[in-house]
Amino acid sequence: MDTARRVVLLEGTMGTLWIALGVVNVGLAGLRAAWWVAFAAAVATVAVAYTDEHDLFGWGDWRRYAAATVGVVAAAVAVGLVAVATDLVVLTVVSAGLAGMGAGLLCYRFVFGVVRPVPKSRLDAARERAV
């Protein structure tokens, strides 16, 4: 199996499992109640994946790790703010965010994996970690 196919299968499976986990945790009704959280998570996932794989800022590894840390902290703060500002419980917010991330990853990998080729930087990263 070539590297591009392996990337598409791995991330497609990962996205599908994230969506399934979000649905299992709160059901479809819970996801409908927080559809906007899922949409925001999907858009953010696509933006982060595109920025990282196309190296828009030209950052080295340390800056990328710092940005990832800031992103995780910002996501945790956003979950808390949404739970406080709305009548949604934390589990619903997290599950909707997870399902949205899965949907965003599936859409991104469909465009850059099926419709268009997987970016070279992602293929190089997959080759470095190959067993």
Side-chain angles (χ1 to χ4, degrees), residues 44-58:
T45 301
V46 169
V48 167
Y50 184 86
T51 301
D52 184 47
E53 287 187 357
H54 292 86
D55 198 23
L56 293 184
F57 298 118

Side-chain angles (χ1 to χ4, degrees), residues 12-87:
T13 303
M14 194 165 56
T16 303
L17 289 175
W18 288 354
I19 293 170
L21 186 58
V23 170
V24 166
N25 279 337
V26 294
L28 291 175
L31 291 181
R32 271 194 298 272
W35 67 269
W36 53 277
V37 174
F39 180 76
V43 169
T45 301
V46 169
V48 167
Y50 184 86
T51 301
D52 184 47
E53 287 187 357
H54 292 86
D55 198 23
L56 293 184
F57 298 118
W59 287 351
D61 287 342
W62 286 104
R63 283 196 178 182
R64 288 175 52 216
Y65 296 148
T69 303
V70 168
V72 168
V73 171
V77 169
V79 166
L81 289 175
V82 168
V84 168
T86 66
D87 60 347

